[in-house]
Amino acid sequence: PEAYQFAGDSKELTVLFADIRSFTTISEHLSAADLKAMLNQYFTPITKIIFDHDGTIDKYVGDMVMAFWGAPLDDEHHAHHGVLAAIKMQKATLKLSQAFIARGLPEIKIGIGLNTGIMNVGDMGSSYRRAYTVLGDAVNLGSRLESITKFYGADILVGERTAQLCPEIAFTFIDRIQVKGKDEPIAVYKPLGLKSKITKKEQDELFCFTQAYCLYLNQNWGQAIEYFKMLQVDYPQTALYQVYLDRIENLRNQPIAKGWDGVFRHTSK
């Protein structure tokens, strides 16, 4: 008991948000009882994965689950554990979705956002009801990252600090972005898995994308388009390349401001 406490504290933690995509559409085709049963079947294995990776469940809100690492027990590897949990959650959801489809239920897919930073953690609320939770800008950014997974066609997105704290995990750079309500741009990454298990095909894709992104930054639109189209042919399952092709098509037809740094500004939450 002396190893943890629920009083408010500010410390670096990792937060995770996971949301079922197109949940409104799914709910329209199920009765309230069937929807509740499906959510319970989804949350149970997802929660177990979070617990197995030393995470703390913050809350469930509809189809969303929020969790964090590093409190109430200290965890030096909070980011590493959070990212590994996210990867495992995606694998479990795929397996669960296949079982749902076999039973005539809708397919489910989830988007996951993780961010690491200084957060206020503690037992918060009112004199009537309190909850152990995390608050702060770093928490809000984690939620924003989850919401833009759909934009990039990514199943998991993590912030820059999260990737920095995970030297044993391989990441692919996705974009430099500025989210709505924030002035400072951040780099966003997608985890691929443990470096020891990355395939040569994944390494080749990372190398080619790095070259394509450099051409994009240098405003070498023609060559950048060639590279991104080549990546599309070789890796058709990666939706990110069409995002850049559309962006380049828009940029090449307008004057570029001096000092342009390639940052994409998201205007919606």
Side-chain angles (χ1 to χ4, degrees), residues 29-136:
H29 293 85
L30 295 175
S31 68
D34 288 341
L35 186 64
K36 183 181 73 170
M38 189 187 81
L39 281 176
N40 288 342
Q41 291 173 59
Y42 161 72
F43 280 135
T44 297
I46 291 302
T47 300
K48 184 179 186 304
I49 290 169
I50 292 170
F51 285 165
D52 287 346
H53 290 80
D54 302 327
T56 299
I57 295 289
D58 188 305
K59 61 176 70 75
Y60 308 105
V61 180
D63 62 307
M64 185 273 288
V65 60
M66 175 183 173
F68 55 89
W69 281 259
L73 291 175
D74 291 334
D75 181 0
E76 182 182 354
H77 305 291
H78 51 85
H80 179 84
H81 290 150
V83 173
L84 289 184
I87 294 171
K88 194 80 176 284
M89 287 165 65
Q90 285 291 357
K91 291 179 180 178
T93 301
L94 177 61
K95 186 176 180 181
L96 193 61
S97 183
Q98 291 170 345
F100 283 170
I101 293 171
R103 290 160 45 198
L105 292 170
E107 174 188 33
I108 62 167
K109 293 182 179 180
I110 63 172
I112 303 176
L114 295 105
N115 191 48
T116 302
I118 300 299
M119 306 171 193
N120 189 272
V121 58
D123 196 23
M124 305 172 197
S126 68
S127 58
Y128 297 97
R129 181 174 180 177
R130 304 176 70 82
Y132 188 67
T133 188
V134 288
L135 299 171

Side-chain angles (χ1 to χ4, degrees), residues 14 79-80 83 114-116 158-166 171:
T14 296
H80 179 84
V83 173
L114 295 105
N115 191 48
T116 302
V158 310
E160 198 164 355
R161 179 62 176 162
T162 307
Q164 288 173 352
L165 292 176
C166 299
F171 293 89

Side-chain angles (χ1 to χ4, degrees), residues 204-218:
D204 291 343
E205 185 176 7
L206 277 171
F207 177 75
C208 290
F209 174 65
T210 300
Q211 290 183 305
Y213 185 78
C214 287
L215 291 167
Y216 160 76
L217 276 185
N218 291 326

